[in-house]
Amino acid sequence: MESLKSSYQTTCHTIARNSNILQVTGDSNSPPQVPLILSEKAVQNIKRILKKKSDPYIGLLEYRNTPVTGMTYSPSQLLMSRATRTKIPVATELLQPKLFTEVYQQLKARQQRQVHYYNQGTKPLTSLEPQEVVRLRQGKTWTPAIVDAKAETPRFYLVTTLTGQQYRRNRKDLLQTGEPPPTLSVPEDINRHTTDTDTETQTIQVPAANEQPHATAFSDKSPTPPTPPTRRTSNRSKTLPAKFKDYVMNVLNIEH
């Protein structure tokens, strides 16, 4: 499945590049975009019509004559500039073709109304600067990363993690933390540092076989073995539970 998806993406990139088409890709963590949602909504409406109406053509005819939500025109009027005849009696004047000039204004007002209610309770995020340390959302974890530059598409940035991998992510997946730039810990080369004791020659006097070594101020004493801890035993009296009162039992003091 992953190989098929990768092959499909490569083919799309090749066609867009050869046809001089600007391909704007979205974030892999983002929900489905508007065209996909609208297509699923259209399929849902058609299934509902087929369930309610015994004749699907009559159901589709009534659906095309129903005004669009937020507008005063129906799909039939937007497509053919006139309403179609249905089983409901209607005046002949209303079936005459008519040019509608306020379609674009109503569509824009409908979109602005949807944007207003969709963005309630939201606020714009601050922009990120290059070489700024952020946290990158990767599933349920936040990985440290460094901002490289702003992408060509709006609200997208190119970031690089500490492992050297580069990602293109939306601003909502980047957490601004204000952390200091990460530094790579380089192991210290101990061969470069030499001390005076490394080059000096130390002279050690070895006593003769029949000569006793001189006593030094610091006598070597064998370390005393640690004293084993003493185990404490309980001195309280032991009584049997009440459920054993009808039995003859001996209470033994067992010391471990």
Side-chain angles (χ1 to χ4, degrees):
M1 185 64 183
E2 292 295 335
S3 60
L4 181 61
K5 181 180 178 180
S6 177
S7 176
Y8 174 76
Q9 292 177 350
T10 304
T11 304
C12 292
H13 291 324
T14 304
I15 295 175
R17 183 171 59 254
N18 296 338
S19 303
N20 197 16
I21 299 175
L22 178 60
Q23 185 180 16
V24 180
T25 57
D27 188 6
S28 58
N29 299 327
S30 299
Q33 302 300 321
V34 175
L36 182 59
I37 297 177
L38 294 180
S39 61
E40 293 178 354
K41 187 65 176 179
V43 173
Q44 180 181 359
N45 293 336
I46 296 301
K47 287 184 177 180
R48 189 176 301 171
I49 292 173
L50 296 178
K51 290 180 179 180
K52 290 184 176 181
K53 295 291 184 179
S54 57
D55 189 353
Y57 296 101
I58 298 298
L60 292 176
L61 181 63
E62 295 178 355
Y63 174 75
R64 295 190 186 104
N65 279 332
T66 305
V68 180
T69 305
M71 299 181 62
T72 58
Y73 305 114
S74 63
S76 178
Q77 291 174 327
L78 295 175
L79 179 63
M80 300 180 294
S81 299
R82 62 180 294 269
T84 54
R85 188 187 301 274
T86 61
K87 291 185 174 182
I88 301 176
V90 63
T92 307
E93 293 79 6
L94 299 178
L95 299 178
Q96 298 299 324
K98 180 181 179 182
L99 183 62
F100 305 103
T101 58
E102 298 180 356
V103 176
Y104 179 76
Q105 289 78 4
Q106 291 189 11
L107 282 174
K108 293 296 293 185
R110 179 170 176 260
Q111 293 175 356
Q112 292 298 330
R113 187 163 50 252
Q114 293 175 349
V115 169
H116 170 71
Y117 288 107
Y118 183 80
N119 292 333
Q120 276 187 340
T122 61
K123 62 179 181 179
L125 298 175
T126 58
S127 59
L128 301 177
E129 300 296 334
Q131 302 303 321
E132 185 176 356
V133 181
V134 294
R135 291 277 178 167
L136 171 65
R137 186 206 303 267
Q138 290 185 330
K140 295 183 179 181
T141 61
W142 292 88
T143 307
I146 301 177
V147 179
D148 293 335
K150 190 173 183 179
E152 297 179 356
T153 52
R155 299 183 300 277
F156 277 85
Y157 290 87
L158 300 176
V159 296
T160 304
T161 59
L162 300 182
T163 57
Q165 296 179 347
Q166 191 177 44
Y167 295 91
R168 174 179 170 270
R169 285 293 181 265
N170 195 293
R171 175 63 180 87
K172 65 182 178 63
D173 294 325
L174 301 175
L175 181 61
Q176 195 173 16
T177 59
E179 298 175 335
T183 56
L184 298 178
S185 58
V186 180
E188 184 180 1
D189 189 3
I190 58 175
N191 296 327
R192 294 182 305 172
H193 301 281
T194 58
T195 59
D196 296 338
T197 58
D198 297 336
T199 58
E200 291 181 354
T201 303
Q202 298 180 358
T203 304
I204 303 177
Q205 296 181 358
V206 180
N210 56 358
E211 183 181 359
Q212 296 296 333
H214 300 283
T216 57
F218 303 95
S219 59
D220 297 335
K221 295 182 180 179
S222 59
T224 58
T227 57
T230 58
R231 299 182 62 87
R232 297 179 58 185
T233 58
S234 176
N235 297 325
R236 63 189 180 93
S237 59
K238 300 178 176 59
T239 58
L240 291 175
K243 61 182 180 180
F244 297 126
K245 64 180 181 179
D246 295 333
Y247 298 90
V248 178
M249 302 182 66
N250 294 328
V251 180
L252 299 179
N253 294 330
I254 301 176
E255 295 184 0
H256 299 280

